[in-house]
């Protein structure tokens, strides 16, 4: 219903993308529809599109590193606190342990939104 009122509502498009990725075909889930919603997200908001592509990669069990998609997302929207914090979490993980990059992106997150606490934990 939301998309009938606003066909560019990103959260609704994202939700439908995820539903189609998870739902079995017997109840209407279609991978092709998930890809169509992904393409629409990319068209409307490239930064969110890169994050949605990472989500689809996770569903499809692709083993590619998400780092290039995260970096493309931050390049597309350098003022996104959420994307910066995604990079902080990614670089802080046991698999990465890139603390210099944790600090870099946490400081940028703090600069963008100093009233939020996430950047202080990075």
């Amino acid at each position: 219903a939301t998309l009938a009122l606003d066909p560019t509502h990103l959260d609704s498009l994202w939700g439908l993308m995820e539903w189609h990725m998870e739902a079995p075909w017997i109840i209407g889930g279609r991978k092709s529809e998930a890809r169509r919603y992904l393409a629409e997200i990319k068209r409307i908001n490239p930064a969110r599109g890169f994050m949605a592509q990472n989500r689809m990669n996770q569903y499809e069990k692709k083993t590619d590193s998400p780092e290039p998609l995260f970096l493309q997302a931050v390049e597309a929207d350098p003022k996104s606190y959420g994307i910066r914090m995604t990079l902080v979490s990614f670089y802080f993980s046991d698999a990465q342990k890139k603390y210099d990059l944790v600090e870099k992106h946490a400081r940028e997150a703090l600069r963008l939104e100093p009233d939020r606490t996430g950047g202080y934990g990075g």
Side-chain angles (χ1 to χ4, degrees), residues 38-110:
L38 171 63
E40 190 64 11
I41 294 167
K42 286 178 175 180
R43 185 188 69 74
I44 295 167
N45 184 318
R48 289 281 303 268
F50 291 119
M51 302 305 282
Q53 180 65 61
N54 177 62
R55 189 73 180 117
M56 185 170 282
N57 289 353
Q58 290 173 334
Y59 274 106
E60 293 176 342
K61 309 253 189 270
K62 292 186 177 175
T63 58
D64 302 348
S65 171
E67 184 177 23
L69 292 171
F70 293 160
L71 293 174
Q72 288 174 301
V74 83
E75 185 177 316
D77 186 2
K79 294 182 179 180
S80 171
Y81 177 87
I83 294 170
R84 293 286 178 176
M85 291 309 298
T86 297
L87 278 165
V88 167
S89 295
F90 173 73
Y91 288 131
F92 195 73
S93 70
D94 287 337
Q96 295 295 314
K97 295 183 181 178
K98 295 181 179 177
Y99 302 123
D100 56 327
L101 293 173
V102 169
E103 182 178 3
K104 172 188 171 186
H105 291 288
R107 286 185 186 277
E108 186 58 24
L110 285 172

